[in-house]
Amino acid sequence: MSTRTSRDQAHSSTTTVMVVDDHRTFTDLMLLALHDVDDLQCVGAAHDRASALEMAAMTSPDVVLMDVELGDEDGLEVAEQLVAARPGLRVVVLTAHAQDVSIVRRAAGSGACALLPKDGSLRDLLHHLRTARPGGMVVQLDMLQAMVAPGRPPTTPPRHGSTTSPFTALTARENHVLALLARGYDVRRIAGELQISVHTCRGYVKSVLAKLGAHSQLEAVVIANTHGLVSGPHIR
């Protein structure tokens, strides 16, 4: 009986993954990689829009790993269709175009919860397959910086109270919240990190957005990176 219980627990803790990419070599490699991971199970690979929609309906995966480009088809449009059909589905998007800032906005609009470079490490990819959640948008900081200011060094952070800064100065706590947003943390995780209530944390996020003139957390991070506001000891 104890053996069955442990097996049931292991099964219930497994995250099912569907891979969508038109490059069959890549999907084959991902199938091999996921085969060796105990808590992630690949339920199949699709190579175009039609097969992706059909397979998702049949297998109900927890996470979809989606390439931005599916031959002549748009992977982000497919991602949006998948999320519309199954609200709560987690979609992790891969892109080979790390310097195209429009992809960040479009990925966020599609309902994806993570955008990663296709040439990134397998370790990071597996981590985000496990941890990315709907309602948030994880973008690697170095990738975001490359999109915002390709080939340029980070902007010197404006000093608090400087008359040349277009923003109202952030408090130390707001700076910390902004830094954690840039690391892809959602409000609940930030609240846990700072040991404050979720309600209080939402207040800090609202204040950060207002001071930066941003309409979303993702836009706040983009603005902050453009002006060098998220450099510092909190980014590790």
Side-chain angles (χ1 to χ4, degrees):
M1 185 173 181
S2 60
T3 301
R4 175 178 293 180
T5 300
S6 63
R7 286 176 179 172
D8 290 343
Q9 290 174 340
H11 179 73
S12 64
S13 63
T14 299
T15 298
T16 55
V17 181
M18 185 179 84
V19 181
V20 185
D21 195 300
D22 64 319
H23 292 95
R24 294 178 184 270
T25 300
F26 177 81
T27 57
D28 289 346
L29 290 172
M30 280 307 306
L31 290 173
L32 288 173
L34 293 171
H35 180 73
D36 294 330
V37 181
D38 290 338
D39 61 333
L40 296 172
Q41 176 190 359
C42 186
V43 295
H47 306 288
D48 54 34
R49 179 195 305 265
S51 60
L53 296 175
E54 182 180 1
M55 183 174 292
M58 291 177 58
T59 62
S60 300
D62 299 312
V63 187
V64 172
L65 179 62
M66 173 73 66
D67 191 7
V68 166
E69 296 180 341
L70 297 177
D72 295 330
E73 298 179 313
D74 188 333
L76 293 178
E77 290 183 359
V78 179
E80 187 171 3
Q81 285 184 273
L82 290 171
V83 173
R86 282 190 59 210
L89 175 68
R90 295 147 54 191
V91 179
V92 173
V93 175
L94 295 179
T95 178
H97 305 287
Q99 295 186 345
D100 187 349
V101 69
S102 67
I103 292 178
V104 181
R105 300 190 183 99
R106 292 186 59 236
S110 74
C113 53
L115 175 65
L116 307 174
K118 198 166 184 178
D119 60 355
S121 73
L122 177 61
R123 180 179 179 181
D124 285 344
L125 174 57
L126 296 178
H127 170 72
H128 291 300
L129 288 176
R130 295 182 177 105
T131 61
R133 292 291 182 270
M137 181 64 182
V138 175
V139 182
Q140 288 189 352
L141 184 57
D142 54 350
M143 181 180 174
L144 189 55
Q145 288 173 329
M147 289 178 174
V148 172
R152 296 189 331 196
T155 306
T156 302
R159 292 175 295 176
H160 290 326
S162 169
T163 57
T164 61
S165 173
F167 310 116
T168 303
L170 301 179
T171 66
R173 179 51 63 91
E174 288 167 349
N175 270 314
H176 199 166
V177 169
L178 178 59
L180 294 174
L181 286 174
R183 291 171 61 184
Y185 287 22
D186 60 19
V187 171
R188 291 187 179 279
R189 189 173 179 187
I190 294 173
E193 181 84 7
L194 300 182
Q195 297 184 342
I196 58 178
S197 71
V198 173
H199 177 75
T200 299
C201 186
R202 287 197 178 104
Y204 283 122
V205 171
K206 184 177 180 180
S207 179
V208 168
L209 265 59
K211 289 183 177 182
L212 297 184
H215 298 93
S216 68
Q217 295 176 22
L218 176 60
E219 186 179 359
V221 172
V222 171
I223 292 171
N225 274 278
T226 303
H227 293 273
L229 298 176
V230 293
S231 61
H234 297 309
I235 301 295
R236 297 188 294 270

